[in-house]
Amino acid sequence: MLRSALFAIFCLALVIVFQAGPAHALECNDQNPDYCSKCEDLDKAYKGKDINSILVRGRSVWTPLYAAYFRDCPKIAVRYLELGANPAVGGMEGDMLATVISWDRWEVEQRALWVKMLVLAGARLDSPPITKRTTRERLMQEYGKRDDIMALIKVAEQNGG
């Protein structure tokens, strides 16, 4: 009986400790942009922040531009690009264009709009490598000639990328 009472007190203490943790940890902000559920929230999270700020989590490089792509907020992305966001940096291993082309998070038509936006802002398939490979090399080595990849590479090439 005493043992179960002590166990219950221990469990209650753990609950209190975990509830008292920092409330901001899972809130939408520039350190947790993936918790932003709406474009407006994402925009507020980066208001007044460096438009080329970088937050690395594992293999993902979070920039305001990548967060806009992650949440599919093209109007915000256009504004970030107009403010000087680097169109080449963000996403997996920091290669924004490769991320948009390869990640089938959205249908090809929607990804094509993002590819065009990034290329018109200066992202290139054959730019000097970000991580020892150009975007084109990364795509071919990791994904091969997948139909969606080839279609999106063509979109990039047709728009000067």
Side-chain angles (χ1 to χ4, degrees), residues 44-118:
K44 287 178 192 172
Y46 285 109
K47 193 155 192 89
K49 307 287 180 173
D50 178 7
I51 203 66
N52 286 303
S53 64
I54 293 176
L55 173 68
V56 178
R57 283 200 200 145
R59 293 178 53 200
S60 294
V61 176
W62 286 84
T63 62
L65 183 61
Y66 175 64
Y69 173 70
F70 183 85
R71 194 50 62 209
D72 193 31
C73 302
K75 289 180 183 177
I76 292 173
V78 167
R79 190 161 36 77
Y80 290 167
L81 290 166
E82 289 171 346
L83 291 171
N86 186 333
V89 178
M92 292 303 286
E93 297 180 3
D95 191 333
M96 185 71 179
L97 190 55
T99 299
V100 171
I101 290 173
S102 64
W103 190 15
D104 58 1
R105 178 176 178 85
W106 316 115
E107 295 298 324
V108 171
E109 295 78 24
Q110 191 170 2
R111 286 163 37 213
L113 297 173
W114 283 92
V115 168
K116 186 174 180 180
M117 179 192 319
L118 295 174

Side-chain angles (χ1 to χ4, degrees), residues 25 27-34 45-46 55 57:
E27 291 179 3
C28 168
N29 58 43
D30 65 323
Q31 298 300 301
N32 296 294
D34 47 331
Y46 285 109
L55 173 68
R57 283 200 200 145

